[in-house]
Amino acid sequence: MKGFSAHIGYLFQELPLERRFAAARDAGFRMVEHPSLYSLPATRVRQLLSDCGLGIVQSSFPAGDIARGEKGFAALPDEIERFRASVSVSLDYAVQAGIPALHCMAGVRPPGADPERMWDIYIANMRVAAEAAAERGVLVLIEPISSGSIADYFIEDPLEAVRAITEIGASNVRLLFDVFHATMIGSDPFAFIRDHAALIYHVHIADHPGRHEPGTGIIDFDRLYTTLEEVHYDGFIGCEYSPRGGTLEGLGWMKRAGASRHA
């Protein structure tokens, strides 16, 4: 376990996006991540990372029009051409910005859609994305998202993600495992980590309920860190939570987690 990554889509929202990089550095982080950096030129992202001495863990393929409720479209029957057109553009951006991995959101199930057809479309689209990403040295990530956070999201259960990774059959497709989402659907995150550690590239945390800082809910984070150490997890832990107050005021939990775990 290498330490903690600041998810600057959730943390430091009191600041404009460009200023969040330096704020994360000043708070003691050396890695950041964000779900959609496309409002910034790729060269600007690379420069911000360089100027702040930061690395970046992951970002995402375009999620679509959030205002219309879109949460990706890799599994959507009417969006195959749109998805495939986004692949090269997104990967080119990632390479230029220095982003090593992109999360590919599956999308929200349209009313009446055939789940088996959606699955076949999803697997086919992910194979296209994985092949193009492999040519550029980029990882493609799958993150199960609980329906309590995004209603009718197509990939909710972590075991569905395992099945998808197996069927896609590409070594550069990995799992972004969110402990909050797993807990929200009643899954045992500790058992899942032990059983599927080899597939996990990155881990997200937030406490449940509330999706706030560790220590505000029921999740046993000491057990989580111990489990990750036991399976020799070699990645970062992304802080994807909504601070109850200001971001800095809420970072005391990280000091309590121990200096060896603070990035």
Side-chain angles (χ1 to χ4, degrees):
M1 194 168 63
K2 293 178 178 177
F4 296 103
S5 166
H7 191 300
I8 56 174
Y10 277 75
L11 305 187
F12 306 104
Q13 287 193 52
E14 55 269 33
L15 299 171
L17 177 56
E18 290 196 39
R19 290 177 56 193
R20 297 178 198 174
F21 291 81
R25 173 203 61 200
D26 294 345
F29 292 98
R30 57 188 176 91
M31 298 294 288
V32 294
E33 55 190 284
H34 192 278
S36 181
L37 291 166
Y38 297 108
S39 63
L40 301 175
T43 52
R44 179 59 177 153
V45 173
R46 184 180 284 273
Q47 188 64 54
L48 286 165
L49 293 169
S50 176
D51 289 348
C52 296
L54 292 169
I56 185 165
V57 180
Q58 61 93 27
S59 187
S60 299
F61 287 88
D65 188 344
I66 303 299
R68 291 173 50 204
E70 291 186 323
K71 299 293 183 180
F73 37 88
L76 303 188
D78 296 333
E79 302 290 355
I80 296 173
E81 291 185 8
R82 181 185 179 198
F83 174 78
R84 297 195 180 186
S86 75
V87 169
S88 291
V89 174
S90 305
L91 291 170
D92 288 345
Y93 183 96
V95 171
Q96 293 171 27
I99 301 168
L102 292 180
H103 168 215
C104 187
M105 296 189 78
V108 174
R109 289 187 296 272
D114 180 356
E116 291 186 7
R117 182 170 179 239
M118 288 185 67
W119 182 266
D120 291 342
I121 289 169
Y122 178 66
I123 297 301
N125 278 340
M126 291 295 285
R127 284 174 176 160
V128 169
E131 182 177 358
E135 294 173 355
R136 294 166 172 83
V138 176
L139 297 177
V140 176
L141 305 179
I142 296 176
E143 179 185 21
I145 300 175
S146 59
S147 58
S149 296
I150 300 178
D152 295 319
Y153 189 74
F154 187 63
I155 303 290
E156 177 179 27
D157 193 312
L159 293 177
E160 292 176 335
V162 172
R163 176 189 166 199
I165 292 170
T166 301
E167 289 193 24
I168 294 162
S171 61
N172 65 322
V173 178
R174 302 283 298 281
L175 182 66
L176 198 173
F177 181 64
D178 191 306
V179 176
F180 167 80
H181 288 307
T183 303
M184 200 171 189
I185 68 168
S187 177
D188 181 342
F190 313 110
F192 182 89
I193 290 168
R194 287 192 297 269
D195 291 343
H196 302 287
L199 296 180
I200 299 173
Y201 166 76
H202 190 45
V203 173
H204 275 165
I205 59 170
D207 217 333
H208 174 73
R211 201 169 189 172
H212 299 307
E213 296 91 337
T216 59
I218 64 171
I219 296 176
D220 186 342
F221 285 95
D222 285 336
R223 184 181 176 192
L224 172 67
Y225 306 142
T226 298
T227 301
L228 291 171
E229 289 169 353
E230 288 173 350
V231 300
H232 307 292
Y233 173 66
D234 194 33
F236 285 87
I237 297 174
C239 302
E240 191 188 41
Y241 62 79
S242 298
R244 286 194 299 182
T247 299
L248 292 177
E249 292 86 339
L251 287 177
W253 68 269
M254 207 154 51
K255 295 179 182 178
R256 292 190 293 272
S260 65
R261 289 170 176 149
H262 184 186

PDB file of all heavy atoms in Angstrom, residues 97 137 141 263:
ATOM      1  N   ALA A  97      -1.511  14.024 -21.140  1.00  0.00           N
ATOM      2  CA  ALA A  97      -1.565  14.536 -19.764  1.00  0.00           C
ATOM      3  C   ALA A  97      -0.722  13.725 -18.798  1.00  0.00           C
ATOM      4  O   ALA A  97      -0.438  14.177 -17.690  1.00  0.00           O
ATOM      5  CB  ALA A  97      -3.019  14.556 -19.283  1.00  0.00           C
ATOM      6  N   GLY A 137      -0.199   2.084 -23.894  1.00  0.00           N
ATOM      7  CA  GLY A 137       0.324   1.836 -22.557  1.00  0.00           C
ATOM      8  C   GLY A 137      -0.561   2.346 -21.446  1.00  0.00           C
ATOM      9  O   GLY A 137      -0.075   2.703 -20.362  1.00  0.00           O
ATOM     10  N   LEU A 141     -10.072   0.843 -16.577  1.00  0.00           N
ATOM     11  CA  LEU A 141     -10.594   0.453 -15.270  1.00  0.00           C
ATOM     12  C   LEU A 141     -12.108   0.267 -15.300  1.00  0.00           C
ATOM     13  O   LEU A 141     -12.823   1.013 -15.981  1.00  0.00           O
ATOM     14  CB  LEU A 141     -10.246   1.515 -14.224  1.00  0.00           C
ATOM     15  CG  LEU A 141      -8.771   1.892 -14.084  1.00  0.00           C
ATOM     16  CD1 LEU A 141      -8.612   2.968 -13.014  1.00  0.00           C
ATOM     17  CD2 LEU A 141      -7.918   0.673 -13.765  1.00  0.00           C
ATOM     18  N   ALA A 263       0.262   9.571   2.256  1.00  0.00           N
ATOM     19  CA  ALA A 263       1.090   9.892   1.085  1.00  0.00           C
ATOM     20  C   ALA A 263       1.557  11.319   1.181  1.00  0.00           C
ATOM     21  O   ALA A 263       1.383  12.109   0.313  1.00  0.00           O
ATOM     22  CB  ALA A 263       0.311   9.646  -0.185  1.00  0.00           C
TER      23      ALA A 263
END
